[in-house]
Amino acid sequence: MAYVDSATQRVFEDIDTDGSGKLSQRELSRALQQLGVQARSERDLHATMEKYDRDGDGYLNVYEFSQMVDHLRNPSAARTVHRPAMPPGGQYYERD
């Protein structure tokens, strides 16, 4: 299982305004703004969503969001996005 730090978990929960456990493209836009990143266009926003949406459901779960945040913190890591198979039961993270 992948680890999501508590600060990233809290940011995710604050941005996930509908409580779905997933970020929509609109919620992702707000998340990027809070992180100081401005998408230049809807196309850029959509491309960001597609890049980190590992399970292809059109939303970012907390694990996918955490990977995006890690890549924003360390841009050299963003060159490769690891896309492993979804684990059994869809368990992506542990809360601390």
Side-chain angles (χ1 to χ4, degrees):
M1 248 188 260
Y3 173 78
V4 175
D5 68 72
S6 60
T8 301
Q9 177 72 36
R10 281 191 302 274
V11 169
F12 180 88
E13 289 171 357
D14 288 345
I15 294 166
D16 180 23
T17 55
D18 63 3
S20 66
K22 299 177 180 182
L23 298 184
S24 66
Q25 192 164 313
R26 178 177 290 187
E27 290 169 323
L28 176 61
S29 177
R30 273 201 329 275
L32 290 172
Q33 289 174 356
Q34 286 187 3
L35 294 168
V37 177
Q38 185 66 41
R40 293 182 297 238
S41 66
E42 286 295 314
R43 186 179 207 176
D44 287 344
L45 187 60
H46 183 73
T48 300
M49 179 70 83
E50 282 189 340
K51 180 176 182 176
Y52 294 101
D53 179 17
R54 295 166 54 158
D55 60 9
D57 68 352
Y59 297 89
L60 296 186
N61 61 44
V62 70
Y63 182 73
E64 294 162 338
F65 176 73
S66 177
Q67 186 173 33
M68 182 194 76
V69 169
D70 289 347
H71 287 175
L72 290 172
R73 290 178 183 156
N74 181 7
S76 64
R79 292 190 184 114
T80 57
V81 176
H82 181 59
R83 292 183 174 266
M86 183 182 291
Q91 296 297 318
Y92 282 107
Y93 65 94
E94 297 175 4
R95 292 180 185 224
D96 54 23

